[in-house]
Amino acid sequence: MGTDTAESRGVHAPVRDRWWLIVAAGLAIFIAQLDASIVGVALPRIEADLHTSTTVVQWVGLGYLMPLIALALGIGRWVDTADPRRVMVLGCTGFAVASVACGLAPGVGWLIGARVVQGCFAVIMLALAPVLPTIAVRPEVRGRAFGTVLLLGTLGGVTGPPAGGLLVEAYGWPAVFYVNVPVVAVVLAVVTRQLPLGPRLPRPKAAWAAEAVTFGGAAVAVLFALSFAMDRSVEWGLLALAAVPLLLVWGRSASARSLWSLVTAPGLPGPHLAIGCAYFAVFGVLFVTPFFLQVSLGVPPGTNGWVMVGLALGTGCGSVLGGRLADRVGPRRVALSGTVVLLAGTASMVPASTTWGAPDVASRLLLIGVGFGLFNAQNQARVMSNAPQDRLGMISGTTSLVRQLGAAAGSALGAALWATSPGGATALSACAATAAVAAVCTALAVSRTSVKRPV
């Protein structure tokens, strides 16, 4: 009596398709990813209005990112033991309250603290949302379901900069946080209507907190070292050494052994490696391109925003097309096709030229976006299909962690190349060439992984 299982929490093939729940899952990822990218364009205005420095204001972004990395594994374990409806209500409500607190911040210290809290609730939504397509629709339409969820989630990341620029210009920087509230209200309305109310949420285990401190602390130390090494003295790079003892402590824990046995199970290593490589490729190019447009080509910021929409548009088209194709030919073939298109898109930027105009860059970003859209959702569908049904939350956590690390590493590469290259075209060419190599690695990881057919 009272034993929690996948069946008791509704993790089984549904008798009917609940597409509104799929939309809600996509919107949850959308706002979580949006907040990771939208705040960047608001930082100069925040710095001026709150009378702070660039050194301090950068923590508005890093404060949100820290929990996404540090808590991903522990929250994934917790989601596997908890009622999905209560988990999503907690995550969305806390995220909305923290968003309002960000917008009302009277000072930068308050804002950074609210951003950390916001990230803690965002990681809950990111861990649960990929689980919902597995319990909301039948296996034969799961490709379209994951395509819809990852479409919205990916768009949240790539549309943040242009959307943020418009909001800051029209309403001021608090608007980039207030925009979350109506979206959260929609998610809550759908979830409370579509999911039954289960048992109370279990308390997190002490071992999960230890994992957040050790493994999460190591990941954050590496992230900070990558982020600061190009801007500060070489001592910032030494921060990465702090990760070594933390990883050694974590590696001796039962949690580490359990995680390793899970992610190395058949059908799981390849998709995880592919996620990291693809995000590394896309976010490296995504970081350098705005600098190339504005500094090298002299494109004004407004036009810059519209050029970047090409990536979002391509991602959307690729996600929708990929979802429909996957239900016919399988997610593996679609994901592999996406890596080929991603390779073509990144290779088309080599060599970059200062004779290009905004349309030249937009068309290349569109191609990269199509490949990324084809790959991203269907690779996630593959990893969720291959995961044990009682460990879906954990796998959502591991894939979320790999995404954040891949994106951070790609952005750090872009920053390093821009800071050290003699010209903008050289920096973009080098970054695109590295991204093309990462795309090849993605394709290899996809092609070598079999798919476990759902039963």
Side-chain angles (χ1 to χ4, degrees), residues 383-407:
V383 74
M384 298 303 287
S385 295
N386 290 349
Q389 291 296 288
D390 61 343
R391 306 295 298 278
L392 294 178
M394 189 64 214
I395 290 298
S396 293
T398 58
T399 53
S400 176
L401 174 64
V402 171
R403 280 191 190 90
Q404 304 303 332
L405 292 177

Side-chain angles (χ1 to χ4, degrees), residues 34 60 80 84 111 147 185 304 313 317 444 446:
L34 181 75
V60 175
D80 280 330
L111 178 57
N304 185 160
L313 180 61
C317 293
L444 291 174
V446 170

Side-chain angles (χ1 to χ4, degrees), residues 50-91:
L50 299 185
H51 308 290
T52 185
S53 65
T54 304
T55 302
V56 175
V57 81
Q58 67 183 334
W59 286 89
V60 175
L62 293 174
Y64 181 80
L65 189 59
M66 282 193 303
L68 297 187
I69 295 175
L71 302 180
L73 298 180
I75 292 297
R77 297 181 193 276
W78 180 66
V79 165
D80 280 330
T81 67
D83 170 53
R85 173 172 162 174
R86 290 186 183 271
V87 169
M88 187 61 86
V89 169
L90 173 65

Side-chain angles (χ1 to χ4, degrees), residues 92 97 218 286 295 329:
C92 287
V97 172
L286 191 63
V295 177
V329 302

